[in-house]
Amino acid sequence: MNAITNHLPTAELQALDAAHHMHPFTANAELADKGARVITRASGITLTDSEGNEILDAMAGLWCVNIGYGRDELADVAARQMRELPYYNTFFMTTHAPVIALAAKIAELAPGDLNHVFFAGSGSEANDTNIRMVRHYWAEKGKPTKSVIISRNNAYHGSSVGSGSLGGMSGMHAQGGLPIPDIHHIEQPHWWAEGGDMDPEEFGLLRAQELEKAILELGEERVAAFIAEPVQGAGGVIVPPASYWPEIQRICDKYEILLIADEVICGFGRTGNWFGCQTMGIRPDIMTIAKGLSSGYAPIGGSVVSDDVAAVIGAGEFNHGYTYSGHPVAAAVALENLRILEEEGIVDHVRDVAAPYLKEKWEALTDHPLVGEAKIVGMMGSIALVPNKDSRAPFAEAGTAGFICRERCFANNLVMRHVGDRMIISPPLVITPAEIDMLISRARKALDECYAELQKRDLLSAG
Ligand SMILES: *Cc1c(COP(=O)(O)O)cnc(C)c1O
């Protein structure tokens, strides 16, 4: 018997983990010394660890558990589908009911004429699909030189060779020979860190116009697409100034550049609409989806494309696909997740109840001596930790305050992530006002403890 031995003592689990399991985005040697926290179960917005601690998960796993943990309906659907048809592919003129139903449902929910879905196993895979699809699209239209995809510094689009190249994370580009050719990065609309003395709206416009500058420099005949998250997630929940997206849309229209909205985080209710592009008022040609598509209960992602893109790509054979494209169990789970999101009015709950309540409490955090700005859209928010609110100057020792704050959160049974000295949240969409109160009070306690520690270690100076 090879049971999953959750009930081994924590120390033994940690030792086995350290011996055999390589953690993603982790300094594994350092983790091995500390020991990983073992999560054993979860329900609603609460995780339980192997020591019995109950932790409020203000990150919804990795931005994905939109409907919350512990929904039996999804487990039941998965078990039923596994018994009926655990696997079949859709490569060779075959299909199956779960993938058909899911594609049709996504087409119904997606705005405009985004009516066609190419499935993948994850957001990274879907963005790899997008790279090949937009280049192939222009080749099929007789413009094979249009191969450059413009993206942004500090964007996150996944961790494979292609999607990691699209992303603008310098730490990722430094390892493994990224980026691939013909990916071009422009600056991000991050006013707090990079806006200097400019007015935020003026700055947003300027950063959008970098796209036009890049198109003109590269040559319109070289540019295939622009890709961006409606709200940057892993980069630190960077909410662009209101002037930014309308200008980007104008530029994409003017030069006939395909617009790819990476909705992997923003999609499925996170911003208070079904998709982030609706919140930002833009009309993408392609949307990348994953994460909230299944609330993380099964690995699945995809590219949702317009009638035009689907017609051009579909005119001949597109030599591309994954063994698990449209996996029947993942598709059935995603479909059930969408049913719950829709029938339980969870997107309405975000827009009308949870987001307004959270916004009020979140923005009030700026009364704390450590918090310079608080930004929030729907159920994704960030606060900037600063030594001096007026100058917006960063800490002399960048990243330490954020790290300490995250440690203090964890010690107070709250999962809040840090990106440098920005603290970010992305809780399950089903969070209630009472649970938001709990989130905020734990966050305040962690901020107080972080502040005390910074004072003690004399780290409260600006760089
Ligand atoms: C997480 C993420 C991805 C990558 O998705 P994976 O499922 O981890 O491959 C892509 N884009 C955005 C915006 C993401 O947040």
Side-chain angles (χ1 to χ4, degrees):
M1 258 286 283
N2 248 328
I4 300 171
T5 44
N6 251 345
H7 22 264
L8 276 178
T10 302
E12 281 181 49
L13 288 171
Q14 288 171 328
L16 285 170
D17 186 73
H20 303 293
H21 174 209
M22 299 172 76
H23 289 248
F25 284 105
T26 298
N28 277 280
E30 194 185 314
L31 175 64
D33 289 340
K34 273 176 71 178
R37 195 160 181 171
V38 181
I39 306 300
T40 51
R41 54 182 55 251
S43 173
I45 64 160
T46 307
L47 308 166
T48 305
D49 73 8
S50 55
E51 300 294 285
N53 295 302
E54 300 207 324
I55 309 151
L56 195 164
D57 183 9
M59 282 304 299
L62 280 177
W63 324 80
C64 54
V65 188
N66 288 12
I67 62 168
Y69 298 94
R71 292 298 299 247
D72 283 342
E73 299 94 324
L74 275 68
D76 294 343
V77 158
R80 202 184 318 136
Q81 188 59 44
M82 273 201 194
R83 291 201 174 87
E84 203 168 296
L85 180 71
Y87 178 75
Y88 202 69
N89 72 79
T90 59
F91 282 27
F92 308 119
M93 303 204 171
T94 53
T95 190
H96 51 72
V99 78
I100 296 167
L102 181 61
K105 187 71 208 173
I106 292 168
E108 181 197 319
L109 295 171
D113 69 347
L114 297 170
N115 290 322
H116 314 266
V117 192
F118 194 106
F119 285 105
S122 67
S124 300
E125 287 180 10
N127 276 327
D128 280 12
T129 296
N130 291 338
I131 294 173
R132 298 194 58 201
M133 190 148 58
V134 298
R135 290 175 174 172
H136 182 54
Y137 170 88
W138 287 114
E140 284 290 283
K141 286 176 71 103
K143 297 182 176 174
T145 60
K146 281 173 87 71
S147 65
V148 177
I149 303 172
I150 300 176
S151 177
R152 307 182 296 181
N153 290 334
N154 200 34
Y156 189 79
H157 297 297
S159 191
S160 58
V161 173
S163 63
S165 298
L166 285 179
M169 299 286 175
S170 53
M172 293 174 70
H173 288 186
Q175 298 173 344
L178 270 55
I180 58 169
D182 281 358
I183 309 289
H184 182 86
H185 294 88
I186 61 175
E187 296 293 343
Q188 57 178 336
H190 189 354
W191 176 79
W192 179 263
E194 300 172 1
D197 292 335
M198 287 185 86
D199 166 75
E201 296 308 325
E202 197 186 327
F203 174 76
L205 209 56
L206 199 75
R207 283 289 157 100
Q209 284 160 357
E210 286 223 355
L211 175 60
E212 189 157 29
K213 266 196 355 220
I215 294 168
L216 294 174
E217 271 167 31
L218 293 158
E220 196 183 336
E221 72 290 349
R222 292 273 290 120
V223 181
F226 174 66
I227 182 168
E229 303 147 86
V231 178
Q232 282 158 270
V237 184
I238 313 298
V239 182
S243 57
Y244 182 76
W245 273 114
E247 183 67 359
I248 291 283
Q249 181 71 59
R250 180 191 71 75
I251 295 164
C252 289
D253 291 346
K254 178 171 177 194
Y255 297 98
E256 292 184 50
I257 305 300
L258 294 174
L259 173 57
I260 308 170
D262 186 336
E263 296 270 1
V264 169
I265 289 174
C266 293
F268 305 101
R270 171 115 349 245
T271 68
N273 289 292
W274 276 94
F275 296 96
C277 61
Q278 295 164 321
T279 303
M280 295 295 149
I282 49 171
R283 291 170 280 103
D285 301 282
I286 299 175
M287 294 195 305
T288 318
I289 56 172
K291 294 191 173 125
L293 168 59
S294 66
S295 283
Y297 281 61
I300 184 167
S303 306
V304 191
V305 315
S306 69
D307 290 342
D308 170 50
V309 171
V312 172
I313 295 297
E317 180 172 342
F318 183 34
N319 298 313
H320 177 69
Y322 307 106
T323 299
Y324 299 138
S325 287
H327 189 285
V329 177
V333 168
L335 190 65
E336 182 66 5
N337 172 60
L338 297 184
R339 184 192 69 73
I340 288 173
L341 276 173
E342 193 170 38
E343 286 183 13
E344 297 185 4
I346 292 170
V347 183
D348 300 334
H349 166 77
V350 169
R351 189 181 48 239
D352 302 336
V353 181
Y357 192 80
L358 179 60
K359 182 179 163 73
E360 190 194 320
K361 305 278 162 178
W362 191 251
E363 288 177 345
L365 289 175
T366 52
D367 68 12
H368 194 279
L370 259 189
V371 178
E373 75 161 357
K375 298 298 268 186
I376 188 154
V377 174
M379 304 304 280
M380 57 196 296
S382 57
I383 48 178
L385 306 185
V386 284
N388 179 334
K389 295 191 192 204
D390 298 326
S391 69
R392 306 209 320 272
F395 283 101
E397 200 179 303
T400 305
F403 181 80
I404 293 171
C405 187
R406 190 195 63 179
E407 296 292 291
R408 295 328 301 158
C409 287
F410 228 46
N412 284 292
N413 289 331
L414 172 67
V415 177
M416 181 154 76
R417 209 168 125 179
H418 82 110
V419 177
D421 291 315
R422 265 184 116 74
M423 303 306 300
I424 61 179
I425 56 162
S426 168
L429 306 187
V430 294
I431 194 168
T432 64
E435 290 167 333
I436 289 171
D437 287 343
M438 195 191 302
L439 187 168
I440 295 291
S441 82
R442 288 182 192 181
R444 281 191 179 275
K445 183 146 182 284
L447 283 167
D448 288 345
E449 291 174 8
C450 176
Y451 191 67
E453 169 109 13
L454 290 169
Q455 258 176 336
K456 202 173 81 191
R457 288 167 57 182
D458 201 17
L459 289 171
L460 276 173
S461 55

